[in-house]
PDB file of all heavy atoms in Angstrom:
ATOM      1  N   ALA A   1     106.732  96.205  92.103  1.00 98.00           N
ATOM      2  CA  ALA A   1     106.198  94.874  91.827  1.00 98.00           C
ATOM      3  C   ALA A   1     105.950  94.095  93.110  1.00 98.00           C
ATOM      4  O   ALA A   1     105.014  93.274  93.175  1.00 98.00           O
ATOM      5  CB  ALA A   1     107.156  94.100  90.922  1.00 98.00           C
ATOM      6  N   ASP A   2     106.762  94.327  94.154  1.00 98.00           N
ATOM      7  CA  ASP A   2     106.548  93.636  95.425  1.00 98.00           C
ATOM      8  C   ASP A   2     105.198  94.020  96.028  1.00 98.00           C
ATOM      9  O   ASP A   2     104.514  93.179  96.626  1.00 98.00           O
ATOM     10  CB  ASP A   2     107.666  93.970  96.414  1.00 98.00           C
ATOM     11  CG  ASP A   2     108.993  93.349  96.032  1.00 98.00           C
ATOM     12  OD1 ASP A   2     108.996  92.169  95.654  1.00 98.00           O
ATOM     13  OD2 ASP A   2     110.020  94.053  96.099  1.00 98.00           O
ATOM     14  N   TYR A   3     104.845  95.282  95.879  1.00 98.00           N
ATOM     15  CA  TYR A   3     103.534  95.720  96.368  1.00 98.00           C
ATOM     16  C   TYR A   3     102.422  95.161  95.482  1.00 98.00           C
ATOM     17  O   TYR A   3     101.446  94.585  95.982  1.00 98.00           O
ATOM     18  CB  TYR A   3     103.456  97.247  96.402  1.00 98.00           C
ATOM     19  CG  TYR A   3     102.157  97.753  96.996  1.00 98.00           C
ATOM     20  CD1 TYR A   3     102.046  97.947  98.374  1.00 98.00           C
ATOM     21  CD2 TYR A   3     101.050  98.013  96.199  1.00 98.00           C
ATOM     22  CE1 TYR A   3     100.856  98.392  98.935  1.00 98.00           C
ATOM     23  CE2 TYR A   3      99.853  98.449  96.751  1.00 98.00           C
ATOM     24  CZ  TYR A   3      99.766  98.642  98.116  1.00 98.00           C
ATOM     25  OH  TYR A   3      98.574  99.069  98.674  1.00 98.00           O
ATOM     26  N   GLU A   4     102.571  95.332  94.178  1.00 98.00           N
ATOM     27  CA  GLU A   4     101.522  94.918  93.251  1.00 98.00           C
ATOM     28  C   GLU A   4     101.266  93.419  93.304  1.00 98.00           C
ATOM     29  O   GLU A   4     100.119  92.967  93.199  1.00 98.00           O
ATOM     30  CB  GLU A   4     101.902  95.331  91.825  1.00 98.00           C
ATOM     31  CG  GLU A   4     101.909  96.844  91.620  1.00 98.00           C
ATOM     32  CD  GLU A   4     102.429  97.243  90.249  1.00 98.00           C
ATOM     33  OE1 GLU A   4     103.332  96.540  89.741  1.00 98.00           O
ATOM     34  OE2 GLU A   4     101.945  98.237  89.695  1.00 98.00           O
ATOM     35  N   ASN A   5     102.319  92.634  93.483  1.00 98.00           N
ATOM     36  CA  ASN A   5     102.195  91.171  93.467  1.00 98.00           C
ATOM     37  C   ASN A   5     102.078  90.550  94.854  1.00 98.00           C
ATOM     38  O   ASN A   5     102.040  89.327  94.976  1.00 98.00           O
ATOM     39  CB  ASN A   5     103.386  90.556  92.727  1.00 98.00           C
ATOM     40  CG  ASN A   5     103.455  90.997  91.284  1.00 98.00           C
ATOM     41  OD1 ASN A   5     102.424  91.168  90.631  1.00 98.00           O
ATOM     42  ND2 ASN A   5     104.668  91.193  90.770  1.00 98.00           N
ATOM     43  N   ASN A   6     102.042  91.416  95.870  1.00 98.00           N
ATOM     44  CA  ASN A   6     101.835  90.939  97.248  1.00 98.00           C
ATOM     45  C   ASN A   6     102.855  89.858  97.608  1.00 98.00           C
ATOM     46  O   ASN A   6     102.495  88.742  98.020  1.00 98.00           O
ATOM     47  CB  ASN A   6     100.408  90.405  97.408  1.00 98.00           C
ATOM     48  CG  ASN A   6      99.968  90.334  98.866  1.00 98.00           C
ATOM     49  OD1 ASN A   6     100.646  90.825  99.751  1.00 98.00           O
ATOM     50  ND2 ASN A   6      98.829  89.702  99.112  1.00 98.00           N
ATOM     51  N   THR A   7     104.138  90.221  97.490  1.00 98.00           N
ATOM     52  CA  THR A   7     105.209  89.227  97.645  1.00 98.00           C
ATOM     53  C   THR A   7     105.558  88.919  99.100  1.00 98.00           C
ATOM     54  O   THR A   7     106.423  88.075  99.349  1.00 98.00           O
ATOM     55  CB  THR A   7     106.476  89.698  96.911  1.00 98.00           C
ATOM     56  OG1 THR A   7     106.900  90.964  97.449  1.00 98.00           O
ATOM     57  CG2 THR A   7     106.227  89.817  95.416  1.00 98.00           C
ATOM     58  N   GLY A   8     104.932  89.607 100.059  1.00 98.00           N
ATOM     59  CA  GLY A   8     105.151  89.251 101.458  1.00 98.00           C
ATOM     60  C   GLY A   8     106.100  90.169 102.198  1.00 98.00           C
ATOM     61  O   GLY A   8     106.442  91.251 101.740  1.00 98.00           O
ATOM     62  N   THR A   9     106.575  89.687 103.335  1.00 98.00           N
ATOM     63  CA  THR A   9     107.315  90.528 104.277  1.00 98.00           C
ATOM     64  C   THR A   9     108.818  90.562 104.031  1.00 98.00           C
ATOM     65  O   THR A   9     109.572  91.013 104.885  1.00 98.00           O
ATOM     66  CB  THR A   9     107.048  90.061 105.718  1.00 98.00           C
ATOM     67  OG1 THR A   9     107.436  88.685 105.842  1.00 98.00           O
ATOM     68  CG2 THR A   9     105.576  90.203 106.072  1.00 98.00           C
ATOM     69  N   GLY A  10     109.254  90.117 102.881  1.00 98.00           N
ATOM     70  CA  GLY A  10     110.680  90.193 102.578  1.00 98.00           C
ATOM     71  C   GLY A  10     111.150  91.596 102.281  1.00 98.00           C
ATOM     72  O   GLY A  10     112.341  91.886 102.359  1.00 98.00           O
ATOM     73  N   THR A  11     110.226  92.482 101.942  1.00 98.00           N
ATOM     74  CA  THR A  11     110.556  93.871 101.638  1.00 98.00           C
ATOM     75  C   THR A  11     109.552  94.803 102.308  1.00 98.00           C
ATOM     76  O   THR A  11     108.446  94.387 102.680  1.00 98.00           O
ATOM     77  CB  THR A  11     110.520  94.146 100.123  1.00 98.00           C
ATOM     78  OG1 THR A  11     109.164  94.014  99.660  1.00 98.00           O
ATOM     79  CG2 THR A  11     111.421  93.188  99.361  1.00 98.00           C
ATOM     80  N   SER A  12     109.933  96.061 102.427  1.00 98.00           N
ATOM     81  CA  SER A  12     108.997  97.054 102.964  1.00 98.00           C
ATOM     82  C   SER A  12     107.811  97.227 102.036  1.00 98.00           C
ATOM     83  O   SER A  12     106.670  97.399 102.482  1.00 98.00           O
ATOM     84  CB  SER A  12     109.717  98.392 103.166  1.00 98.00           C
ATOM     85  OG  SER A  12     110.703  98.273 104.160  1.00 98.00           O
ATOM     86  N   SER A  13     108.070  97.195 100.731  1.00 98.00           N
ATOM     87  CA  SER A  13     107.006  97.359  99.753  1.00 98.00           C
ATOM     88  C   SER A  13     105.951  96.259  99.888  1.00 98.00           C
ATOM     89  O   SER A  13     104.746  96.526  99.963  1.00 98.00           O
ATOM     90  CB  SER A  13     107.585  97.354  98.338  1.00 98.00           C
ATOM     91  OG  SER A  13     106.574  97.546  97.369  1.00 98.00           O
ATOM     92  N   GLY A  14     106.385  95.010  99.930  1.00 98.00           N
ATOM     93  CA  GLY A  14     105.448  93.910 100.108  1.00 98.00           C
ATOM     94  C   GLY A  14     104.727  93.979 101.435  1.00 98.00           C
ATOM     95  O   GLY A  14     103.546  93.614 101.540  1.00 98.00           O
ATOM     96  N   SER A  15     105.415  94.482 102.469  1.00 98.00           N
ATOM     97  CA  SER A  15     104.804  94.593 103.793  1.00 98.00           C
ATOM     98  C   SER A  15     103.703  95.644 103.817  1.00 98.00           C
ATOM     99  O   SER A  15     102.671  95.454 104.479  1.00 98.00           O
ATOM    100  CB  SER A  15     105.884  94.920 104.826  1.00 98.00           C
ATOM    101  OG  SER A  15     106.832  93.874 104.905  1.00 98.00           O
ATOM    102  N   PHE A  16     103.910  96.738 103.110  1.00 98.00           N
ATOM    103  CA  PHE A  16     102.867  97.754 103.040  1.00 98.00           C
ATOM    104  C   PHE A  16     101.599  97.186 102.410  1.00 98.00           C
ATOM    105  O   PHE A  16     100.483  97.555 102.788  1.00 98.00           O
ATOM    106  CB  PHE A  16     103.357  98.981 102.267  1.00 98.00           C
ATOM    107  CG  PHE A  16     103.913 100.065 103.128  1.00 98.00           C
ATOM    108  CD1 PHE A  16     105.279 100.157 103.363  1.00 98.00           C
ATOM    109  CD2 PHE A  16     103.078 101.010 103.707  1.00 98.00           C
ATOM    110  CE1 PHE A  16     105.802 101.165 104.173  1.00 98.00           C
ATOM    111  CE2 PHE A  16     103.589 102.023 104.514  1.00 98.00           C
ATOM    112  CZ  PHE A  16     104.952 102.101 104.753  1.00 98.00           C
ATOM    113  N   ARG A  17     101.753  96.283 101.458  1.00 98.00           N
ATOM    114  CA  ARG A  17     100.575  95.670 100.827  1.00 98.00           C
ATOM    115  C   ARG A  17      99.777  94.867 101.861  1.00 98.00           C
ATOM    116  O   ARG A  17      98.537  94.932 101.898  1.00 98.00           O
ATOM    117  CB  ARG A  17     101.015  94.775  99.675  1.00 98.00           C
ATOM    118  CG  ARG A  17      99.879  93.975  99.032  1.00 98.00           C
ATOM    119  CD  ARG A  17      98.811  94.869  98.400  1.00 98.00           C
ATOM    120  NE  ARG A  17      97.734  94.050  97.860  1.00 98.00           N
ATOM    121  CZ  ARG A  17      97.723  93.558  96.614  1.00 98.00           C
ATOM    122  NH1 ARG A  17      98.741  93.791  95.791  1.00 98.00           N
ATOM    123  NH2 ARG A  17      96.705  92.836  96.204  1.00 98.00           N
ATOM    124  N   ILE A  18     100.477  94.140 102.723  1.00 98.00           N
ATOM    125  CA  ILE A  18      99.805  93.366 103.766  1.00 98.00           C
ATOM    126  C   ILE A  18      99.058  94.287 104.721  1.00 98.00           C
ATOM    127  O   ILE A  18      97.909  94.021 105.106  1.00 98.00           O
ATOM    128  CB  ILE A  18     100.831  92.500 104.528  1.00 98.00           C
ATOM    129  CG1 ILE A  18     101.396  91.413 103.602  1.00 98.00           C
ATOM    130  CG2 ILE A  18     100.212  91.884 105.778  1.00 98.00           C
ATOM    131  CD1 ILE A  18     102.552  90.638 104.189  1.00 98.00           C
ATOM    132  N   ILE A  19      99.702  95.385 105.091  1.00 98.00           N
ATOM    133  CA  ILE A  19      99.078  96.346 106.015  1.00 98.00           C
ATOM    134  C   ILE A  19      97.837  96.965 105.382  1.00 98.00           C
ATOM    135  O   ILE A  19      96.761  97.032 106.001  1.00 98.00           O
ATOM    136  CB  ILE A  19     100.093  97.436 106.414  1.00 98.00           C
ATOM    137  CG1 ILE A  19     101.254  96.822 107.207  1.00 98.00           C
ATOM    138  CG2 ILE A  19      99.409  98.533 107.229  1.00 98.00           C
ATOM    139  CD1 ILE A  19     102.442  97.747 107.373  1.00 98.00           C
ATOM    140  N   VAL A  20      97.958  97.412 104.149  1.00 98.00           N
ATOM    141  CA  VAL A  20      96.837  98.046 103.457  1.00 98.00           C
ATOM    142  C   VAL A  20      95.681  97.066 103.294  1.00 98.00           C
ATOM    143  O   VAL A  20      94.509  97.414 103.538  1.00 98.00           O
ATOM    144  CB  VAL A  20      97.294  98.597 102.090  1.00 98.00           C
ATOM    145  CG1 VAL A  20      96.085  98.967 101.224  1.00 98.00           C
ATOM    146  CG2 VAL A  20      98.196  99.811 102.283  1.00 98.00           C
ATOM    147  N   ASP A  21      95.980  95.835 102.904  1.00 98.00           N
ATOM    148  CA  ASP A  21      94.923  94.835 102.730  1.00 98.00           C
ATOM    149  C   ASP A  21      94.197  94.579 104.046  1.00 98.00           C
ATOM    150  O   ASP A  21      92.967  94.394 104.069  1.00 98.00           O
ATOM    151  CB  ASP A  21      95.503  93.531 102.183  1.00 98.00           C
ATOM    152  CG  ASP A  21      95.834  93.612 100.698  1.00 98.00           C
ATOM    153  OD1 ASP A  21      95.501  94.632 100.060  1.00 98.00           O
ATOM    154  OD2 ASP A  21      96.450  92.650 100.183  1.00 98.00           O
ATOM    155  N   LYS A  22      94.923  94.551 105.144  1.00 98.00           N
ATOM    156  CA  LYS A  22      94.301  94.329 106.450  1.00 98.00           C
ATOM    157  C   LYS A  22      93.354  95.474 106.803  1.00 98.00           C
ATOM    158  O   LYS A  22      92.229  95.233 107.274  1.00 98.00           O
ATOM    159  CB  LYS A  22      95.388  94.193 107.519  1.00 98.00           C
ATOM    160  CG  LYS A  22      94.850  94.046 108.936  1.00 98.00           C
ATOM    161  CD  LYS A  22      94.032  92.778 109.103  1.00 98.00           C
ATOM    162  CE  LYS A  22      93.572  92.603 110.541  1.00 98.00           C
ATOM    163  NZ  LYS A  22      92.769  91.358 110.731  1.00 98.00           N
ATOM    164  N   LEU A  23      93.785  96.688 106.565  1.00 98.00           N
ATOM    165  CA  LEU A  23      92.940  97.840 106.902  1.00 98.00           C
ATOM    166  C   LEU A  23      91.681  97.847 106.045  1.00 98.00           C
ATOM    167  O   LEU A  23      90.585  98.155 106.531  1.00 98.00           O
ATOM    168  CB  LEU A  23      93.727  99.132 106.732  1.00 98.00           C
ATOM    169  CG  LEU A  23      95.001  99.257 107.592  1.00 98.00           C
ATOM    170  CD1 LEU A  23      95.632 100.624 107.414  1.00 98.00           C
ATOM    171  CD2 LEU A  23      94.701  98.981 109.063  1.00 98.00           C
ATOM    172  N   LYS A  24      91.821  97.512 104.781  1.00 98.00           N
ATOM    173  CA  LYS A  24      90.655  97.438 103.904  1.00 98.00           C
ATOM    174  C   LYS A  24      89.679  96.368 104.381  1.00 98.00           C
ATOM    175  O   LYS A  24      88.458  96.538 104.280  1.00 98.00           O
ATOM    176  CB  LYS A  24      91.089  97.144 102.466  1.00 98.00           C
ATOM    177  CG  LYS A  24      91.765  98.307 101.755  1.00 98.00           C
ATOM    178  CD  LYS A  24      92.146  97.894 100.334  1.00 98.00           C
ATOM    179  CE  LYS A  24      92.764  99.027  99.543  1.00 98.00           C
ATOM    180  NZ  LYS A  24      93.129  98.614  98.169  1.00 98.00           N
ATOM    181  N   SER A  25      90.215  95.268 104.905  1.00 98.00           N
ATOM    182  CA  SER A  25      89.342  94.191 105.372  1.00 98.00           C
ATOM    183  C   SER A  25      88.588  94.591 106.633  1.00 98.00           C
ATOM    184  O   SER A  25      87.485  94.093 106.885  1.00 98.00           O
ATOM    185  CB  SER A  25      90.162  92.921 105.637  1.00 98.00           C
ATOM    186  OG  SER A  25      90.929  93.032 106.825  1.00 98.00           O
ATOM    187  N   LEU A  26      89.165  95.475 107.428  1.00 98.00           N
ATOM    188  CA  LEU A  26      88.512  95.929 108.649  1.00 98.00           C
ATOM    189  C   LEU A  26      87.373  96.892 108.357  1.00 98.00           C
ATOM    190  O   LEU A  26      86.342  96.882 109.030  1.00 98.00           O
ATOM    191  CB  LEU A  26      89.538  96.591 109.575  1.00 98.00           C
ATOM    192  CG  LEU A  26      90.566  95.659 110.209  1.00 98.00           C
ATOM    193  CD1 LEU A  26      91.667  96.466 110.885  1.00 98.00           C
ATOM    194  CD2 LEU A  26      89.899  94.722 111.212  1.00 98.00           C
ATOM    195  N   ASN A  27      87.574  97.748 107.360  1.00 98.00           N
ATOM    196  CA  ASN A  27      86.534  98.710 106.987  1.00 98.00           C
ATOM    197  C   ASN A  27      86.800  99.191 105.570  1.00 98.00           C
ATOM    198  O   ASN A  27      87.687 100.020 105.352  1.00 98.00           O
ATOM    199  CB  ASN A  27      86.495  99.895 107.958  1.00 98.00           C
ATOM    200  CG  ASN A  27      85.385 100.874 107.633  1.00 98.00           C
ATOM    201  OD1 ASN A  27      84.606 100.673 106.699  1.00 98.00           O
ATOM    202  ND2 ASN A  27      85.297 101.952 108.399  1.00 98.00           N
ATOM    203  N   LYS A  28      86.023  98.665 104.623  1.00 97.00           N
ATOM    204  CA  LYS A  28      86.222  99.022 103.221  1.00 97.00           C
ATOM    205  C   LYS A  28      86.005 100.515 102.973  1.00 97.00           C
ATOM    206  O   LYS A  28      86.559 101.079 102.033  1.00 97.00           O
ATOM    207  CB  LYS A  28      85.282  98.211 102.336  1.00 97.00           C
ATOM    208  CG  LYS A  28      85.607  96.725 102.290  1.00 97.00           C
ATOM    209  CD  LYS A  28      84.654  95.988 101.373  1.00 97.00           C
ATOM    210  CE  LYS A  28      84.978  94.505 101.333  1.00 97.00           C
ATOM    211  NZ  LYS A  28      84.044  93.751 100.444  1.00 97.00           N
ATOM    212  N   GLY A  29      85.184 101.132 103.809  1.00 97.00           N
ATOM    213  CA  GLY A  29      84.880 102.547 103.606  1.00 97.00           C
ATOM    214  C   GLY A  29      85.769 103.495 104.372  1.00 97.00           C
ATOM    215  O   GLY A  29      85.565 104.721 104.315  1.00 97.00           O
ATOM    216  N   ALA A  30      86.738 102.967 105.105  1.00 98.00           N
ATOM    217  CA  ALA A  30      87.598 103.834 105.913  1.00 98.00           C
ATOM    218  C   ALA A  30      88.525 104.664 105.042  1.00 98.00           C
ATOM    219  O   ALA A  30      88.897 104.266 103.936  1.00 98.00           O
ATOM    220  CB  ALA A  30      88.432 102.993 106.874  1.00 98.00           C
ATOM    221  N   GLN A  31      88.898 105.825 105.555  1.00 98.00           N
ATOM    222  CA  GLN A  31      89.927 106.629 104.901  1.00 98.00           C
ATOM    223  C   GLN A  31      91.289 106.173 105.407  1.00 98.00           C
ATOM    224  O   GLN A  31      91.495 106.035 106.618  1.00 98.00           O
ATOM    225  CB  GLN A  31      89.723 108.115 105.213  1.00 98.00           C
ATOM    226  CG  GLN A  31      90.737 109.008 104.511  1.00 98.00           C
ATOM    227  CD  GLN A  31      90.536 110.500 104.787  1.00 98.00           C
ATOM    228  OE1 GLN A  31      91.255 111.332 104.242  1.00 98.00           O
ATOM    229  NE2 GLN A  31      89.578 110.828 105.612  1.00 98.00           N
ATOM    230  N   ILE A  32      92.203 105.915 104.485  1.00 98.00           N
ATOM    231  CA  ILE A  32      93.564 105.504 104.827  1.00 98.00           C
ATOM    232  C   ILE A  32      94.513 106.611 104.378  1.00 98.00           C
ATOM    233  O   ILE A  32      94.536 106.987 103.210  1.00 98.00           O
ATOM    234  CB  ILE A  32      93.938 104.166 104.157  1.00 98.00           C
ATOM    235  CG1 ILE A  32      92.992 103.058 104.629  1.00 98.00           C
ATOM    236  CG2 ILE A  32      95.392 103.807 104.452  1.00 98.00           C
ATOM    237  CD1 ILE A  32      93.200 101.727 103.916  1.00 98.00           C
ATOM    238  N   ILE A  33      95.260 107.142 105.324  1.00 98.00           N
ATOM    239  CA  ILE A  33      96.219 108.214 105.060  1.00 98.00           C
ATOM    240  C   ILE A  33      97.628 107.671 105.301  1.00 98.00           C
ATOM    241  O   ILE A  33      97.915 107.139 106.372  1.00 98.00           O
ATOM    242  CB  ILE A  33      95.963 109.435 105.970  1.00 98.00           C
ATOM    243  CG1 ILE A  33      94.540 109.962 105.794  1.00 98.00           C
ATOM    244  CG2 ILE A  33      96.990 110.543 105.688  1.00 98.00           C
ATOM    245  CD1 ILE A  33      94.153 111.047 106.796  1.00 98.00           C
ATOM    246  N   LEU A  34      98.481 107.801 104.317  1.00 98.00           N
ATOM    247  CA  LEU A  34      99.867 107.366 104.447  1.00 98.00           C
ATOM    248  C   LEU A  34     100.757 108.556 104.792  1.00 98.00           C
ATOM    249  O   LEU A  34     100.558 109.656 104.278  1.00 98.00           O
ATOM    250  CB  LEU A  34     100.355 106.716 103.153  1.00 98.00           C
ATOM    251  CG  LEU A  34      99.535 105.527 102.619  1.00 98.00           C
ATOM    252  CD1 LEU A  34     100.200 104.965 101.367  1.00 98.00           C
ATOM    253  CD2 LEU A  34      99.376 104.441 103.678  1.00 98.00           C
ATOM    254  N   ILE A  35     101.732 108.312 105.653  1.00 98.00           N
ATOM    255  CA  ILE A  35     102.657 109.363 106.089  1.00 98.00           C
ATOM    256  C   ILE A  35     104.079 108.893 105.811  1.00 98.00           C
ATOM    257  O   ILE A  35     104.487 107.815 106.263  1.00 98.00           O
ATOM    258  CB  ILE A  35     102.492 109.663 107.590  1.00 98.00           C
ATOM    259  CG1 ILE A  35     101.021 109.989 107.925  1.00 98.00           C
ATOM    260  CG2 ILE A  35     103.410 110.806 108.016  1.00 98.00           C
ATOM    261  CD1 ILE A  35     100.747 110.095 109.414  1.00 98.00           C
ATOM    262  N   THR A  36     104.834 109.671 105.060  1.00 98.00           N
ATOM    263  CA  THR A  36     106.203 109.278 104.761  1.00 98.00           C
ATOM    264  C   THR A  36     107.101 109.511 105.978  1.00 98.00           C
ATOM    265  O   THR A  36     106.803 110.345 106.838  1.00 98.00           O
ATOM    266  CB  THR A  36     106.796 110.099 103.594  1.00 98.00           C
ATOM    267  OG1 THR A  36     107.099 111.425 104.052  1.00 98.00           O
ATOM    268  CG2 THR A  36     105.855 110.156 102.412  1.00 98.00           C
ATOM    269  N   PRO A  37     108.204 108.769 106.067  1.00 98.00           N
ATOM    270  CA  PRO A  37     109.197 109.123 107.086  1.00 98.00           C
ATOM    271  C   PRO A  37     109.729 110.527 106.820  1.00 98.00           C
ATOM    272  O   PRO A  37     109.736 110.993 105.684  1.00 98.00           O
ATOM    273  CB  PRO A  37     110.287 108.069 106.910  1.00 98.00           C
ATOM    274  CG  PRO A  37     110.109 107.536 105.525  1.00 98.00           C
ATOM    275  CD  PRO A  37     108.651 107.647 105.231  1.00 98.00           C
ATOM    276  N   MET A  38     110.123 111.196 107.880  1.00 98.00           N
ATOM    277  CA  MET A  38     110.676 112.538 107.736  1.00 98.00           C
ATOM    278  C   MET A  38     112.202 112.462 107.762  1.00 98.00           C
ATOM    279  O   MET A  38     112.785 111.467 108.209  1.00 98.00           O
ATOM    280  CB  MET A  38     110.184 113.441 108.865  1.00 98.00           C
ATOM    281  CG  MET A  38     110.586 112.998 110.246  1.00 98.00           C
ATOM    282  SD  MET A  38     109.741 113.919 111.547  1.00 98.00           S
ATOM    283  CE  MET A  38     110.879 113.649 112.915  1.00 98.00           C
ATOM    284  N   GLN A  39     112.835 113.477 107.272  1.00 98.00           N
ATOM    285  CA  GLN A  39     114.290 113.535 107.344  1.00 98.00           C
ATOM    286  C   GLN A  39     114.730 113.565 108.807  1.00 98.00           C
ATOM    287  O   GLN A  39     113.990 114.026 109.680  1.00 98.00           O
ATOM    288  CB  GLN A  39     114.804 114.766 106.598  1.00 98.00           C
ATOM    289  CG  GLN A  39     114.523 114.733 105.105  1.00 98.00           C
ATOM    290  CD  GLN A  39     115.050 115.957 104.389  1.00 98.00           C
ATOM    291  OE1 GLN A  39     116.185 116.381 104.591  1.00 98.00           O
ATOM    292  NE2 GLN A  39     114.220 116.537 103.529  1.00 98.00           N
TER     293      GLN A  39
END
């Protein structure tokens, strides 16, 4: 819900939404690849 509702930088989930929205604003047609942390 933090991601879906764009709740801000209080959580990692909300922060990812800010990052993704920024990248989309820079280039709507860009490919965005997410990489999980590794063990």
